[in-house]
């Protein structure tokens, strides 16, 4: 009697396991098919955009590049291509924004850096590419520096906690930790994915007026031309308090401004 019950229970368990495995495989297959289909759609949009750009239809190419970027993973090369089409469409502000976004993703993208310098010149905007942090990011592989810094920090901490407590060795361990912290801090200071997260780009053709207070009738401090980049510090409704390119601070409306690092 007990053997019959045990056999029946085993069969039930096997059936449940088979059903779960079947359901898992079905979900996995559907996921792969979905991702493959989505990838094909993204690829089609990007291919069509490149075909349009090569044929000279840059307005349609811009639309397709932007459509691709709304769903696909951000790519420095795609932003660069979008910027190129915008420049050929006589839209230097859109071109500069996208060249800048390409450099956020790949600070060592020399072609995007040169293109941004050219579009900034066309807009009459002083280039900010001579800043020491920008120069470091353009020369140093920041991801490798970050990995090295994290590794040295944890290696030094591990040896300090679990190693033999010899004074001479403590200097070595502390040195590893300090070097790791310095490398991590260098990346945080120079990586545009960190430094430009609060930056806004002036897209409005009429520029951006800067006020002394978040009120329309307050004193007007200056007017920034199209293509300028400001850094937001705080927000109050439609108003943003931020730092201007020259270091001064003031209030400006959020209308006509675009995030340098787009929100996903």
């Amino acid at each position: 009697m007990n053997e019959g019950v045990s056999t029946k229970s085993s069969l039930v368990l096997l059936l449940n396991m088979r059903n779960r495995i079947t359901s898992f495989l079905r979900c996995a297959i559907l996921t792969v098919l979905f991702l493959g289909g989505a990838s094909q759609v993204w690829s089609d949009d990007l291919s069509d955009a490149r075909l349009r750009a090569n044929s000279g239809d840059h307005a349609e190419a811009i639309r397709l590049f932007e459509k691709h970027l709304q769903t696909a993973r951000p790519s420095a090369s795609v932003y660069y291509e979008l910027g190129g089409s915008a420049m050929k469409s006589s839209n230097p502000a859109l071109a500069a924004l996208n060249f800048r976004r390409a450099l956020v993703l790949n600070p060592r993208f020399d072609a995007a850096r040169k293109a941004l310098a050219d579009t900034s010149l066309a807009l009459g905007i002083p280039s900010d590419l001579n800043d020491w942090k920008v120069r470091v990011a353009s020369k140093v592989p920041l991801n490798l520096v970050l990995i090295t810094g994290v590794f040295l920090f944890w290696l030094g901490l591990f040896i300090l906690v679990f190693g033999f407590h010899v004074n001479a060795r403590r200097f070595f361990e502390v040195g590893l930790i300090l070097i790791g912290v310095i490398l991590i801090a260098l990346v945080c200071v120079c990586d545009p994915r960190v430094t430009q997260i609060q930056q806004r780009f002036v897209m409005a053709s009429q520029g951006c007026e800067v006020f002394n207070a978040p009120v329309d009738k307050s004193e007007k401090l200056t007017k920034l031309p199209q293509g300028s980049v400001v850094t937001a510090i705080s927000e109050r409704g439609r108003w943003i308090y931020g730092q201007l390119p020259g270091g001064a601070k003031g209030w400006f409306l959020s209308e006509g401004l675009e995030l340098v690092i787009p929100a996903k």
Side-chain angles (χ1 to χ4, degrees):
M1 182 71 175
N2 289 336
E3 288 183 5
V5 173
S6 177
T7 302
K8 187 176 180 180
S9 299
S10 298
L11 288 172
V12 171
L13 287 173
L14 287 172
L15 287 171
N16 288 336
M17 186 178 297
R18 186 195 68 178
N19 292 335
R20 289 180 181 178
I21 291 173
T22 303
S23 298
F24 173 78
L25 290 174
R26 188 181 295 117
C27 290
I29 291 170
L30 289 173
T31 301
V32 170
L33 291 174
F34 172 77
L35 291 176
S39 176
Q40 184 65 37
V41 171
W42 296 336
S43 177
D44 288 346
D45 285 339
L46 185 56
S47 299
D48 289 346
R50 286 169 173 163
L51 285 172
R52 295 285 187 173
N54 290 333
S55 65
D57 188 0
H58 294 290
E60 181 63 13
I62 290 170
R63 187 188 71 80
L64 291 170
F65 278 129
E66 290 178 337
K67 180 182 176 183
H68 171 79
L69 286 165
Q70 286 173 358
T71 53
R73 183 178 179 180
S75 166
S77 62
V78 176
Y79 278 125
Y80 175 73
E81 291 176 270
L82 172 54
S85 286
M87 196 63 186
K88 291 174 182 177
S89 295
S90 301
N91 191 343
L94 182 62
L97 174 61
N98 284 284
F99 291 144
R100 191 174 290 274
R101 285 173 172 173
L103 286 170
V104 168
L105 295 175
N106 183 5
R108 303 172 75 191
F109 198 161
D110 291 334
R113 183 176 300 101
K114 183 180 183 305
L116 178 59
D118 291 341
T119 51
S120 296
L121 183 63
L123 290 165
I125 302 297
S127 174
D128 58 357
L129 298 177
N130 293 322
D131 183 81
W132 72 270
K133 293 177 285 187
V134 176
R135 291 202 302 270
V136 169
S138 68
K139 302 295 183 183
V140 177
L142 295 177
N143 288 337
L144 180 60
V145 172
L146 179 61
I147 292 170
T148 303
V150 171
F151 174 76
L152 292 178
F153 174 83
W154 285 109
L155 177 62
L157 190 62
F158 178 83
I159 298 173
L160 183 65
V161 173
F162 297 103
F164 297 103
H165 295 290
V166 179
N167 289 336
R169 182 171 292 181
R170 282 184 176 176
F171 287 112
F172 174 72
E173 298 154 357
V174 173
L176 286 177
I177 293 173
L178 286 176
I179 292 172
V181 169
I182 290 171
L183 292 177
I184 294 170
L186 178 66
V187 172
C188 291
V189 169
C190 297
D191 193 333
R193 292 169 295 185
V194 177
T195 60
Q196 297 187 31
I197 196 168
Q198 295 297 333
Q199 287 190 350
R200 307 294 201 276
F201 184 91
V202 179
M203 279 294 295
S205 58
Q206 69 272 20
C208 174
E209 293 182 333
V210 183
F211 297 89
N212 188 44
V215 182
D216 290 328
K217 295 183 180 180
S218 64
E219 178 187 358
K220 187 186 298 183
L221 300 178
T222 186
K223 184 175 182 178
L224 299 175
Q226 183 185 39
S228 301
V229 177
V230 295
T231 302
I233 298 173
S234 63
E235 297 186 37
R236 184 183 298 177
R238 298 167 54 222
W239 291 90
I240 297 175
Y241 179 70
Q243 183 173 316
L244 312 184
K249 296 176 182 177
W251 291 90
F252 38 87
L253 290 168
S254 58
E255 287 86 350
L257 303 181
E258 290 281 347
L259 286 165
V260 172
I261 300 178
K264 277 287 185 179

